Amino acid sequence: MSLLNLIPSHKQLDPGRKRNIDQALVTVGKTPKDLLYDVVTEIREQPVSVVPLIAVQMPASVAQRLTEAYVSPAWFDAHKTRRSRFSFLPF
């Protein structure tokens, strides 16, 4: 898929806007198509660099609080409806 198809314009996103990028581009002698080609060229010229993530272990007390406050309630909520739908089963 071409990068040109992945960049929407204001016309596509919000056709009711009173001003559009077209008006701004005219002041510098460009068209929306010129802008898209410039963006694609810029993206292709950027070197690809992979930066390794640095993981920092959170304190056990924070992990415990997050589990109790968010993870556990969400898990039980998600499984509550499943259990009620199959409550007729013997297991």
Side-chain angles (χ1 to χ4, degrees):
M1 173 176 256
S2 169
L3 288 173
L4 294 174
N5 298 328
L6 299 175
I7 306 171
S9 70
H10 285 121
K11 276 185 190 171
Q12 293 167 307
L13 297 175
D14 188 5
R17 287 176 71 111
K18 296 204 185 279
R19 294 190 170 259
N20 202 311
I21 195 165
D22 297 357
Q23 295 164 328
L25 289 171
V26 167
T27 62
V28 292
K30 296 243 181 199
T31 67
K33 195 172 196 173
D34 294 333
L35 173 67
L36 292 176
Y37 280 108
D38 289 348
V39 169
V40 169
T41 301
E42 187 73 24
I43 289 171
R44 288 192 175 135
E45 289 176 359
Q46 296 300 316
V48 176
S49 62
V50 178
V51 180
L53 297 176
I54 299 171
V56 178
Q57 186 171 355
M58 70 175 70
S61 61
V62 173
Q64 184 63 38
R65 277 184 273 159
L66 287 171
T67 301
E68 290 169 356
Y70 301 102
V71 178
S72 188
W75 187 90
F76 281 108
D77 238 15
H79 289 80
K80 181 174 33 177
T81 53
R82 189 182 308 161
R83 281 196 304 267
S84 65
R85 282 189 291 170
F86 298 106
S87 60
F88 62 89
L89 295 173
F91 48 88

